[in-house]
Amino acid sequence: MVRVLTLVDAFRLGGAETLIAQLGRVAGTAGFEMDVLSLLPPSDEHSKLEPLLRESGLTPRYLGIRRTLDPRAPRLLAAAIKESGADVVHAHLEMAMTLAVPAAKLAGRKALCTFHHVHRPLPGRAAWREKLAVEVASRSYRTIFVSEASRASFAEKYRKSGRIPKNWVVVHNGVDLAHFSPGPSLMPPEFGLTGRPVVTVLAAHRDFKGITHAVRAWPLVRAARPDARLLLVGAGNETENLGRQVTEAGLQDDVVFAGARSDVAAILRASDVVLLPSTYGENLPTVLIEAAGCARPVVASRIGGIPDIVEDGVTGLLTPPGDADAIADALISLLDDPSRRAAMGVTARSHVEQHFDAVNWARQLRGLYEEAAAGRPVGTAA
């Protein structure tokens, strides 16, 4: 059985990181063994994923590297790769993949790298870090993109010819549908939402997630459904700005800030609608697959790979990015129609069972891991 060391920048509660916990739940079923390693040292912010990892049967380990250009990093990581007994290394996120490829070579192993986002214009050092990650990752055994929209956006930006390199492949993420499943659930009592219709935004508080547009839409929702509440699950550098926006709009009684949570499946099951109002940069948002797994209808922006998950009018409703009026209209229409919400939820569950099941995803990855461990040239059939 092939053994894989999965490497990330940190054990944050982000979309890419939580996917690793889900992969851990199904790795054995899919036929490979998995270890997890964080480059950054433990901290309150960088260890929030630990409970989910342990729940998945994984033991979190930390390398203690704080920056990409630490001259000790490749040597320390190569030693950790050898110590783990891994046959291959799978890196997620920019810092991890930038270090994984040279370290894996030092350790005599093959590396694979996964990009979880669609390219978008970046300023200054962020642009430099992405460019470096792309060039290094392209020298790995396989560079994985989780949607065709993502692969095409990176090819357009970083390959002048527009030609996609042979080792750039698309593998859709999946989620553990045994964990994210339909069923009764109650909102945590500390939220004070018992008996109320709830619209949940589960996302990092970053500008591109568009949460400000959810808050802008809420006075219109409140006018139609004064009993409904907006639940914001997550944290980030926009939390303070969102809190100020809520206060200035007089929505303190309507919007609940829940912070980062590990009981995501229970919260999704207890939600009436799941909202993702992103404005750019979305690829294949895990939360939308998780919501569908829990048979919840969604309202989301028509950008990136989101239409691969949400069929407009069938499993949810798609709106133009940044359009608060359209968001409000979509939410009101679903909150006012419980039977439509239920029908969308059932169809959404069926859709993700066919296309985004974690076991199928893991089996596709296992095939790539086995090819890499065997040293098979890219493009060669088994």
Side-chain angles (χ1 to χ4, degrees):
M1 182 180 287
V2 65
R3 189 174 188 88
V4 182
L5 178 63
T6 298
L7 183 69
V8 291
D9 296 2
F11 294 136
R12 302 183 183 95
L13 275 175
E17 295 88 347
T18 55
L19 277 168
I20 291 166
Q22 300 202 41
L23 189 58
R25 292 192 190 102
V26 298
T29 302
F32 62 91
E33 297 178 351
M34 179 175 163
D35 294 313
V36 289
L37 178 66
S38 162
L39 289 174
L40 291 171
S43 70
D44 288 346
E45 178 62 27
H46 298 154
S47 303
K48 288 182 176 178
L49 189 66
E50 272 208 23
L52 289 177
L53 292 171
R54 295 188 186 280
E55 184 182 299
S56 300
L58 301 170
T59 301
R61 294 191 297 121
Y62 298 85
L63 191 62
I65 296 297
R66 296 181 181 273
R67 57 191 180 93
T68 306
L69 297 182
D70 186 328
R72 304 170 303 147
R75 176 178 52 81
L76 290 175
L77 182 53
I81 293 169
K82 290 180 179 178
E83 182 184 349
S84 74
D87 301 297
V88 297
V89 180
H90 189 173
H92 302 255
L93 305 176
E94 291 172 359
M95 181 181 177
M97 61 181 71
T98 300
L99 292 175
V101 175
K105 186 173 183 179
L106 284 174
R109 307 293 194 274
K110 292 287 196 302
L112 301 89
C113 301
T114 293
F115 285 93
H116 290 270
H117 63 282
V118 172
H119 169 75
R120 73 279 188 193
L122 294 169
R125 294 187 65 175
W128 175 85
R129 285 193 296 268
E130 182 179 89
K131 182 177 181 179
L132 177 62
V134 171
E135 295 310 315
V136 174
S138 294
R139 289 163 172 75
S140 67
Y141 182 76
R142 296 280 189 180
T143 308
I144 300 169
F145 299 86
V146 303
S147 75
E148 184 56 49
S150 174
R151 183 169 68 167
S153 72
F154 276 84
E156 182 179 355
K157 172 63 179 178
Y158 293 108
R159 293 295 176 264
K160 292 181 180 179
S161 67
R163 295 179 61 185
I164 293 175
K166 188 182 293 186
N167 71 328
W168 283 24
V169 298
V170 174
V171 179
H172 282 160
N173 292 332
V175 305
D176 181 2
L177 297 178
H179 182 71
F180 288 94
S181 57
S185 185
L186 297 175
M187 279 292 177
E190 61 267 29
F191 296 169
L193 297 173
T194 303
R196 292 185 177 278
V198 177
V199 173
T200 296
V201 179
L202 200 157
H205 292 178
R206 299 172 64 188
D207 62 346
F208 74 91
K209 292 295 184 179
I211 303 171
T212 184
H213 303 298
V215 177
R216 285 178 50 223
W218 203 255
L220 296 173
V221 177
R222 179 174 63 176
R225 291 298 303 266
D227 57 334
R229 293 293 182 266
L230 178 63
L231 176 64
L232 303 183
V233 180
N237 57 16
E238 285 294 304
T239 301
E240 185 176 342
N241 290 336
L242 290 168
R244 185 163 45 248
Q245 181 186 1
V246 166
T247 300
E248 291 172 354
L251 296 173
Q252 300 94 316
D253 294 334
D254 296 80
V255 181
V256 176
F257 286 83
R261 305 281 301 197
S262 59
D263 52 347
V264 169
I267 290 173
L268 290 174
R269 280 192 286 267
S271 302
D272 293 276
V273 181
V274 176
L275 170 63
L276 188 64
S278 305
T279 53
Y280 65 92
E282 288 292 5
N283 190 9
L284 206 70
T286 305
V287 66
L288 297 182
I289 305 173
E290 294 170 343
C294 294
R296 298 294 85 195
V298 304
V299 172
S301 303
R302 191 189 298 273
I303 57 171
I306 288 177
D308 291 356
I309 306 169
V310 183
E311 187 175 354
D312 190 26
V314 179
T315 66
L317 298 175
L318 298 177
T319 63
D323 190 334
D325 289 346
I327 292 170
D329 288 344
L331 292 175
I332 292 166
S333 71
L334 291 180
L335 290 172
D336 283 345
D337 196 339
S339 61
R340 188 184 187 200
R341 294 201 308 269
M344 282 185 166
V346 170
T347 306
R349 172 71 191 191
S350 176
H351 179 69
V352 295
E353 285 175 349
Q354 294 178 53
H355 299 286
F356 298 102
D357 177 71
V359 175
N360 293 335
W361 167 47
R363 285 172 177 157
Q364 291 182 69
L365 291 178
R366 185 199 65 197
L368 297 180
Y369 296 154
E370 290 175 342
E371 290 176 7
R376 193 172 299 126
V378 172
T380 301

